[in-house]
Amino acid sequence: IKRRIADSKAWIKEIDDIMRLTPTSSGKIYKLDWSPVIVDQKLNLRGDNLEELLGDVKLKESTKVKEYFKNRIREKQENEKRNGTFKNNYEIIKEVLDYRKWFEFSLKVREPGTTTDLNLSKRKLNSYSGGEKVMAVYIPLFSALYARFNSASKDSLRILAMDEAFSVVDDENISNLFGILEQLDINYLLASQKLTGTYPTIKNLAIIHIE
C-alpha cells in the first residue's frame, strides 16, 4: 500500500510539473493536489497517518491502525447483514484497504500575477470563459489517462480518441493542449472541423480530410 501511495504521489508531481509549464493563454496555471482526508473522527486518523503508521509497527500509535481496520471491517460486515448482501471477507478487506479513499483529488488554479494556489470551485469555474472551462477539464482528464496508461505494460497502445476536439478553445490554448499530449507521450485520434494541425507543439501528425 505504501508503495502504491508513493507511486501515486510521484505521478501527481510529474503531472503537476507539466501543468505548471503549460499556462493558459490568459496566464492561469493549474495544479493537481492529492490531499489526505479524515478516515476516522473518533481516532483522529487521516489518510497520511495511516500511510505513516503502516510502515512502522513498533510505533505506539499502531494500536490506532489496528483499531481502525478492526472497526471498519466490523462496520462493513454489519452493513452486509442489514442490506441482505453477502460479500466474503476477501472483498470486505479489499474495500477497507482501498487507500484511494484515504485521499482526495482537488484542482487548484493560480491566477496571473499571484503566488497563491486557490481551489478551483464551481463558482470560480463558472466565471471563466468557455475556452478556459474546457482547459480546466482537459488538463486533469489527460492526467487521469496518463495514470491509466502507466499502469499498463510498456508495449500497450496509448491512444486518445476525441470527437469535436477542442471545439471552443482558442488557438494558443489548443497549442498548449497538444503540448501536454506530446509531453505525456499519448497518441491521439481527433475529429474536428477547425483543427489545422499546424501548431508548434506538434512533432508529427497525419491529417485525413473527409469530404
Side-chain angles (χ1 to χ4, degrees):
I1 290 175
K2 287 199 65 153
R3 179 178 57 80
R4 287 183 175 272
I5 292 175
D7 289 344
S8 298
K9 288 181 177 179
W11 162 71
I12 291 166
K13 184 181 183 307
E14 185 174 356
I15 293 298
D16 193 45
D17 290 342
I18 292 173
M19 283 199 237
R20 288 182 177 276
L21 292 174
T22 53
T24 65
S25 58
S26 62
K28 290 183 176 65
I29 298 175
Y30 295 106
K31 175 181 174 59
L32 188 64
D33 263 359
W34 197 45
S35 306
V37 298
I38 295 178
V39 295
D40 194 304
Q41 293 278 2
K42 294 180 181 178
L43 297 174
N44 194 27
L45 273 178
R46 300 190 315 177
D48 54 344
N49 300 140
L50 286 176
E51 178 192 358
E52 293 171 7
L53 298 176
L54 282 174
D56 192 347
V57 294
K58 296 178 182 179
L59 290 174
K60 293 181 180 179
E61 291 85 350
S62 63
T63 55
K64 283 186 178 181
V65 178
K66 294 176 184 177
E67 187 177 351
Y68 167 76
F69 285 121
K70 189 184 297 183
N71 291 342
R72 291 289 292 144
I73 291 172
R74 184 166 53 246
E75 287 173 8
K76 291 281 185 182
Q77 291 172 333
E78 290 173 354
N79 286 337
E80 290 297 307
K81 290 180 181 179
R82 281 197 299 268
N83 297 331
T85 52
F86 301 95
K87 288 183 180 178
N88 57 43
N89 287 337
Y90 170 79
E91 292 175 316
I92 290 175
I93 292 174
K94 185 179 178 181
E95 286 184 15
V96 172
L97 291 176
D98 189 352
Y99 64 92
R100 295 171 298 179
K101 296 178 182 178
W102 304 351
F103 300 84
E104 65 179 6
F105 283 105
S106 62
L107 190 62
K108 297 181 180 293
V109 61
R110 181 176 295 182
E111 300 286 349
T114 67
T115 58
T116 304
D117 298 323
L118 303 174
N119 284 325
L120 187 58
S121 62
K122 185 175 181 180
R123 181 177 181 180
K124 179 174 282 294
L125 183 62
N126 286 336
S127 69
Y128 290 174
S129 65
E132 289 177 326
K133 288 180 183 177
V134 172
M135 287 287 288
V137 172
Y138 278 140
I139 289 175
L141 174 63
F142 293 163
S143 303
L145 284 173
Y146 177 75
R148 190 64 176 171
F149 288 147
N150 275 357
S151 66
S153 61
K154 292 183 179 180
D155 57 350
S156 298
L157 296 176
R158 301 160 65 94
I159 300 177
L160 163 69
M162 296 179 64
D163 187 24
E164 295 297 332
F166 315 150
S167 57
V168 294
V169 184
D170 62 83
D171 282 343
E172 186 175 347
N173 282 329
I174 289 176
S175 182
N176 288 336
L177 288 171
F178 274 116
I180 294 174
L181 291 175
E182 292 284 350
Q183 290 181 67
L184 298 179
D185 193 27
I186 297 177
N187 296 309
Y188 42 84
L189 177 63
L190 308 180
S192 174
Q193 295 180 345
K194 64 170 284 187
L195 293 181
T196 62
T198 57
Y199 304 99
T201 52
I202 298 176
K203 296 178 181 178
N204 298 289
L205 189 68
I207 301 175
I208 300 175
H209 293 283
I210 301 177
E211 300 295 338

